[in-house]
Amino acid sequence: MKHTRDSEPDRVGLSLKEAISASISRGKLVPGATNDVNSTSMVPTFANPFWKEMVVLSNRSILNLRRMPELFGIRLAAVLVTGFILATVFWQLDNSPKGVQERLGFFAFAMSTTYYTCADALPVFLQERYIFMRETAYNAYRRLSYVISNALVTLPGLILLSFAFSMTTFWAVGLDGGLSGFLFYFLIMFASFWSGSSFVTFLSGVVPHVMLGYTIVVAVLAYFLLFSGFFINRDRIPGYWIWFHYLSLVKYPYEAVLQNEFENPAKCFVRGIQIFDNSPLGAVPPAMKERLLQSLSNTLGMRITSSTCMTTGLDILKQEGITDLSKWNCLLITVAWGFLFRILFYFSLLLGSKNKRS
């Protein structure tokens, strides 16, 4: 039987690539389409099963990444350079009161860096928006397939970025915990990159322009850092702003790495005369500090020497107001934020690109 140019292709055996190509070139509904509005055809709504859409969309995303390897290369370079700078600035921190403050500064900057470096994910969907809306308008594939494949393709890159940053900074800074501490540090870095990438991806489905998206990302991440607990402890945040503290994406990984660092009750950070270091008495001669310590010891009725531990890691956690969640709960919440933003991304696509058939 001779086929004309306008004859319909085999809808049941139609590949996803053919469906996409046809939907763009013809501007018509390919899978399940019919000119008879009263037709009761049993042709499925979508041309291919869910798993096949996932495979094809994932391959297409990987192909796009291979065409522009410099994009990921720049991101990896930014992470490595940032890690190198932090490692050299905070090189081998000691267990003194100043070392504690420097650790807090390092963790706050490191956690915020993981989120800011995710901003490059913003233009990805904005550049694909027109193609996506054209394809999904005619059911070339499911929106859910696009969301999941997009998330899966980003995971290997996030793992590499997390490992590169962790390797660059953990031992160079002199963080505690050994191999197990490093593994948790890597996991929380990966969770941070995951939640940050998901957050930016969600914004890309909501905002219409790249510059507007960048402005929102920078502003919101700054607010997240402000309410993370580094600049002001949770107990000191006004009640009318405390809700933002719990919405902060930076709060949970920041608290997790602090617990990973200071959870050892046997590790001491302030001994004897070091209690004067962060006070006006820090500038007096050591001999005077010894006499002051002896006077304090007599007043309290307890023996305090230059080797007596005054502050442990657990005391530091209490001072920072980190008492309500364990480090593993913080890790799980950070991962959950990533899944939540992927779900919100799906709904933004669902509402923003409804099927336009008539």
Side-chain angles (χ1 to χ4, degrees), residues 131-170:
I131 298 176
F132 170 83
M133 294 182 68
R134 186 73 179 271
E135 293 169 352
T136 56
Y138 300 103
N139 286 348
Y141 51 81
R142 298 166 180 83
R143 295 167 180 82
L144 184 60
S145 301
Y146 179 86
V147 173
I148 296 179
S149 64
N150 176 272
L152 292 177
V153 169
T154 63
L155 289 180
L158 299 182
I159 292 175
L160 180 57
L161 292 174
S162 305
F163 185 75
F165 188 82
S166 300
M167 286 293 295
T168 307
T169 58
F170 185 83

Side-chain angles (χ1 to χ4, degrees), residues 13 37 48 57 67 79 102-103 136 193 214 221 240-242 247 249 254-255 261 276 292 320 343 349 357:
V37 295
N48 293 277
L57 290 173
R67 287 173 177 171
V79 169
E102 290 163 353
R103 277 176 170 82
T136 56
F193 276 113
Y214 278 130
L221 290 181
Y240 46 84
W241 280 117
I242 194 64
L247 289 179
L249 296 184
Y254 175 67
E255 293 189 359
E261 180 67 15
F276 303 117
L292 288 173
E320 296 299 314
I343 294 173
L349 299 184
R357 291 176 297 169

